[in-house]
Amino acid sequence: YAVLNSLIGTDGVIVADRLTYYGLKALAPVFQFEIVSAPADDDGLLPDEIERICQRMPVKAIFVVPNLQNPTVTTMS
């Protein structure tokens, strides 16, 4: 958790899938960061949409699970 806090800090933004790991959602209020959902298709998050979000917000990290994403079990191509 200390690594997450040092990377994101307070008021940071993490980009993630709309349906993302519950543990990440539980940590957001504790460490005071925001999770912003990026649109996705059957292959995972859309890179162009991530870029748009990064241009608008202070994104510190992108949370992806490339194999069997929880809870959707999507695997990125």
Side-chain angles (χ1 to χ4, degrees), residues 10-39:
T10 58
D11 300 325
V13 173
I14 292 179
V15 176
D17 200 321
R18 184 179 62 82
L19 294 173
T20 195
Y21 175 59
Y22 178 76
L24 183 66
K25 290 181 177 184
L27 291 175
V30 174
F31 290 108
Q32 300 175 347
F33 62 83
E34 180 181 359
I35 301 171
V36 174
S37 298

Side-chain angles (χ1 to χ4, degrees), residues 49-69:
E49 296 298 326
I50 294 171
E51 184 175 354
R52 285 190 194 109
I53 293 168
C54 289
Q55 291 171 351
R56 293 189 336 256
M57 307 181 94
V59 174
K60 302 286 182 140
I62 300 171
F63 183 82
V64 295
V65 179
N67 294 315
L68 300 173
Q69 191 268 359

Side-chain angles (χ1 to χ4, degrees), residues 42-44 65-69 73-77:
D42 291 339
D43 293 321
V65 179
N67 294 315
L68 300 173
Q69 191 268 359
V73 298
T74 299
T75 296
M76 297 173 90
S77 62

